[in-house]
Amino acid sequence: MDLKFGVLALLEAKPEKAAELRDFLIGGKDVVDREPGTRTWYAFQVDDTHFGIFDSFADEDARQAHLGGDIPKALGEVGPTLLAKDPELSAVDLLAVKHEKDDVQG
């Protein structure tokens, strides 16, 4: 697995909508499971209202396909209801990657 590209999205939920954002992110795994170019995808929670998504890709085409895919589209639809502010989105270049051969499932 030669991962070179990533996307980091940081999200802040409205306090009363944090549980809904958490559920939205958990449900997002089923969507990205259908994206062959998205090699890794993590949804995470930092504290009560701060969440994030990190994904990685082998090439820029796969990253762009993901950015034009269903997760960003769905986030755009629910964002005004669930988020306290616009997501902070960064395209990143991966410098080093450690991974195990076995899939890790949550």
Side-chain angles (χ1 to χ4, degrees), residues 35-103:
E35 294 182 356
T38 302
R39 303 292 291 278
T40 65
W41 185 85
Y42 303 89
F44 58 89
Q45 186 169 0
V46 177
D47 60 28
D48 290 344
T49 58
H50 292 86
F51 298 82
I53 301 169
F54 177 77
D55 14 48
S56 64
F57 314 89
D59 57 51
E60 182 63 31
D61 289 342
R63 176 165 54 186
Q64 291 305 316
H66 173 73
L67 289 172
D70 290 338
I71 292 284
K73 181 179 175 183
L75 188 57
E77 292 171 4
V78 301
T81 302
L82 302 182
L83 300 180
K85 62 180 185 176
D86 289 341
E88 294 178 34
L89 185 66
S90 299
V92 300
D93 295 329
L94 302 180
L95 303 177
V97 176
K98 186 233 186 252
H99 61 85
E100 298 293 328
K101 290 184 181 184
D102 297 328
D103 287 338

Side-chain angles (χ1 to χ4, degrees), residues 10-30:
L10 300 176
L11 313 168
E12 182 179 350
K14 294 177 181 175
E16 70 277 10
K17 298 292 185 175
E20 289 179 56
L21 181 58
R22 182 181 185 278
D23 291 343
F24 171 83
L25 292 173
I26 292 169
K29 183 183 178 301
D30 291 335

